Amino acid sequence: MLSSNELNRVTDIAWTLVNQFASQDREVPVEANRGAQIIADHLRAAGLPVQMHQPELYLSLPKTAQVQIVGGKTLRAKPPAFTLHCPRGITGDLIYLPYAGGGTPLDRSPAALGALGAARGKIAVIEGFALPNFIAGLEAAGAIGAIVVNPGVDIHWGTVSTIWGTPELPDLARLPKIPSVAVNQPDGQALIALAQAGGQVVIRTELETGWFPQYLPVVEIPGKDSEDFVLLHGHYDSWREGVGDNGTGNACMLAVALALWEQRGTLKRGVRIAWWPGHSTGRYGGSAWFADTFARDLDRHCVAHLNCDSPGCRWATSYAEIACTAEAAPYVSQVVADVAGQVARGKRPQRNSDYTFNNIGVTGLFNASSNIPPEVLAEKGYYVVGGCGGNIAWHTENDTIEIADRDVLQKDIALYFAAVAGLAQADQLPFDWRLSAADYIETIAQYQAACAFDLTPAAQAAGTLAAAIDALYAQDLPPAVFNDKVMALSRLLIPAHFTRGPRFSHDPALNVPPLPAIADAMLWHQIPADQQGFLRAQLMRGQNRLVDVFARAAQAVAL
């Protein structure tokens, strides 16, 4: 834990960075690089060594957009990153699809695509945010364009590419091929009414997409006993000033770096702290570049990664839910109890927030931390957003200095410091893989109940793995031996539970269900009977992969 004097000292420096970023646009690559330099200047002034990487990232920079009603007025709009550049416009009949927005999980339910057939050849109007699963689903259904009606009076920036990081050559076919725009709620309601009346619109989008040199500052604080390290990370690029997303997060990471540097003699394993460019405009391009460039080092030595996004925002006093992989949940709960005096439960991380290290197999903690309590959200009439601690200024021009709160930021600094320092100082990694094994057993049982395919081999393999893990925790092993086995479990089981693609690749920016190799068992009764044979073959192959990885994991922890 930090002393009150030290916490105040590093918070003062962090708050200085928040105020600097409040007047600094980090949306344009050149300005984003200046933001990285400001971070590096603070670190070097305190004596910390900074390595400034300079990757070239493939970015999509939204410029302007509009929706012109045929025979009527032109409405203000925003183009999401990576939507189709279409400055001359595309004209089409509108169709309102109330079932294709909001929380519709098009990325997890292919059967839902059939409901979108009415969009073929038309411009679809949906409600929610400009998200890749929605736009990809509409494009697959044959829509020629999309208008996303945001929930409030402001329009939110977003990104609609399903590609995580820089595309590979085969990925280029998955770049969006239709234009999409976001509009606010009042204009959106007018467009919904127009769609129901059979109206037409022209939508225009302008973007600049290409390769841009970006700065990526990294601080490395070595451990005294091990080459292993904890990775703390978060993005520094933003939409405009982006104070709450993610200027406060950059400041939090700066404060943690300064405090850890002062205590570096107590760290058994190292800490690396990285500030990412290309989060939104590159669809996690910076963290993906880092994962690619340092893949073998991460594989051999990274014990855990912690994402820091949107801490320190006004009214965000709740730590009730913290994203983390299951084995880390008890540790996260203990840190929250110690620092915030609250009871936190872990929740499965979604496929966002620079959770770039699942394919390598690294235990993950946090994406956000403090959030506005539900009762306060209801009192203020706020809808759910993806950052800024729940403030609806997220991804808008309103994410300015008013969104930051020094006292909340200080609590988050203390929280992240405790979490990172605890992992760096612990003799034995505080992860409980028995919880993950129980999660696998429960998931397989759920899938079995939903289908007529026999998942007994997967259930038996999961049971054998659970027994091997129980035996591991029953032994009084030397910490180095125990830690090696825990890391071996991570490398094998996190990819099995969170990814579809191979290691050292990047799954699409779409949510992944638990144990994805057999997750389509949930579709058994949703597809025609004459397609169940295809699903049976898919489940057989997926089960074979799962049984194999469970067996290898059980062998890895055998005593």
Side-chain angles (χ1 to χ4, degrees):
M1 301 290 283
L2 287 173
S3 69
S4 58
N5 286 341
E6 178 66 356
L7 182 57
N8 284 329
R9 181 185 77 85
V10 296
T11 302
D12 286 344
I13 298 171
W15 193 246
T16 298
L17 180 62
V18 170
N19 280 278
Q20 285 177 288
F21 275 7
S23 59
Q24 203 252 323
D25 182 339
R26 296 178 311 287
E27 178 179 333
V28 178
V30 172
E31 291 300 312
N33 283 339
R34 192 165 71 86
Q37 194 60 61
I38 292 170
I39 293 168
D41 289 345
H42 279 287
L43 292 163
R44 290 177 176 134
L48 278 71
V50 180
Q51 185 170 10
M52 187 69 84
H53 300 286
Q54 298 185 43
E56 282 216 7
L57 302 181
Y58 188 69
L59 306 179
S60 176
L61 312 178
K63 301 296 185 182
T64 63
Q66 62 178 220
V67 178
Q68 181 183 349
I69 298 172
V70 174
K73 64 180 181 178
T74 298
L75 305 178
R76 187 172 64 94
K78 288 179 180 175
F82 286 108
T83 195
L84 182 70
H85 175 66
C86 190
R88 297 182 66 178
I90 187 168
T91 304
D93 296 332
L94 289 177
I95 182 168
Y96 173 49
L97 301 177
Y99 46 79
T104 304
L106 296 178
D107 53 326
R108 287 175 289 168
S109 180
L113 290 177
L116 304 182
R120 181 169 298 278
K122 298 182 180 179
I123 296 174
V125 182
I126 66 172
E127 296 180 87
F129 296 105
L131 297 173
N133 55 326
F134 299 163
I135 304 306
L138 291 169
E139 181 182 311
I144 61 171
I147 300 171
V148 183
V149 180
N150 288 171
V153 296
D154 293 315
I155 307 174
H156 298 261
W157 283 290
T159 183
V160 292
S161 173
T162 62
I163 301 167
W164 191 285
T166 297
E168 300 178 23
L169 284 174
D171 293 331
L172 296 176
R174 290 196 291 115
L175 287 171
K177 300 177 185 64
I178 63 172
S180 56
V181 300
V183 298
N184 68 11
Q185 181 67 201
D187 287 344
Q189 288 303 314
L191 289 169
I192 290 171
L194 181 65
Q196 292 169 333
Q200 284 190 327
V201 298
V202 182
I203 58 175
R204 296 182 177 88
T205 56
E206 292 191 55
L207 302 91
E208 180 184 2
T209 300
W211 296 93
F212 297 87
Q214 293 282 259
Y215 289 167
L216 195 162
V218 177
V219 165
E220 182 170 356
I221 304 173
K224 61 180 183 177
D225 298 332
S226 173
E227 292 183 74
D228 292 345
F229 63 91
V230 182
L231 176 64
L232 173 64
H233 60 91
H235 70 94
Y236 73 84
D237 64 312
S238 67
W239 297 112
R240 300 287 172 86
E241 295 86 358
V243 170
D245 184 12
N246 189 33
T248 51
N250 306 148
C252 180
M253 293 163 58
L254 171 63
V256 171
L258 299 178
L260 285 170
W261 184 252
E262 292 301 313
Q263 298 190 21
R264 58 191 180 278
T266 70
L267 305 182
K268 292 180 171 63
R269 55 185 63 83
V271 176
R272 294 184 192 175
I273 305 168
W275 288 261
W276 310 130
H279 170 83
S280 291
T281 56
R283 202 56 173 156
Y284 315 116
S287 58
W289 176 88
F290 187 85
D292 297 339
T293 305
F294 301 102
R296 297 301 295 154
D297 197 25
L298 289 159
D299 181 33
R300 294 188 184 102
H301 296 299
C302 186
V303 301
H305 75 93
L306 297 87
N307 187 60
C308 186
D309 201 336
S310 297
C313 294
R314 64 182 179 184
W315 308 317
T317 59
S318 173
Y319 297 87
E321 287 190 334
I322 302 291
C324 61
T325 49
E327 70 279 3
Y331 178 69
V332 167
S333 296
Q334 187 60 58
V335 170
V336 171
D338 292 343
V339 174
Q342 296 184 24
V343 176
R345 73 173 186 90
K347 64 177 181 179
R348 180 180 172 85
Q350 294 187 320
R351 185 74 176 132
N352 55 32
S353 300
D354 283 292
Y355 257 69
T356 298
F357 309 97
N358 289 342
N359 290 76
I360 294 175
V362 183
T363 290
L365 298 76
F366 299 93
N367 50 26
S369 49
S370 53
N371 277 286
I372 299 175
E375 61 273 14
V376 178
L377 289 174
E379 173 190 323
K380 296 183 178 299
Y382 278 6
Y383 46 85
V384 175
V385 294
C388 286
N391 285 269
I392 58 174
W394 171 77
H395 282 201
T396 74
E397 297 88 345
N398 301 323
D399 187 7
T400 54
I401 191 62
E402 293 81 8
I403 301 304
D405 183 299
R406 189 185 189 281
D407 292 338
V408 177
L409 178 60
Q410 185 168 70
K411 181 66 65 66
D412 280 313
I413 290 169
L415 182 76
Y416 273 97
F417 174 84
V420 175
L423 292 173
Q425 293 169 341
D427 290 324
Q428 182 169 297
L429 291 172
F431 301 140
D432 190 347
W433 279 93
R434 292 169 293 190
L435 297 177
S436 297
D439 194 10
Y440 308 150
I441 292 171
E442 180 182 347
T443 298
I444 293 168
Q446 178 187 5
Y447 292 162
Q448 183 65 88
C451 76
F453 180 82
D454 184 11
L455 293 173
T456 299
Q460 291 175 339
T464 300
L465 172 61
I469 292 174
D470 285 343
L472 171 68
Y473 281 85
Q475 300 296 311
D476 185 18
L477 297 175
V481 175
F482 177 85
N483 293 339
D484 284 347
K485 292 184 177 296
V486 162
M487 288 177 66
L489 288 174
S490 173
R491 300 303 184 260
L492 289 165
L493 296 177
I494 285 176
H497 202 34
F498 288 93
T499 73
R500 290 188 171 99
R503 297 190 71 212
F504 306 113
S505 65
H506 299 289
D507 269 34
L510 300 170
N511 280 334
V512 177
L515 301 180
I518 59 170
D520 281 352
M522 298 298 289
L523 299 177
W524 188 271
H525 295 294
Q526 300 178 33
I527 62 175
D530 63 359
Q531 292 187 12
Q532 288 177 349
F534 304 120
L535 179 54
R536 184 179 291 109
Q538 177 183 334
L539 293 175
M540 177 67 76
R541 296 162 188 165
Q543 179 167 238
N544 288 340
R545 293 194 298 272
L546 199 58
V547 168
D548 175 68
V549 76
F550 284 168
R552 288 189 287 121
Q555 184 178 12
V557 298
L559 303 174

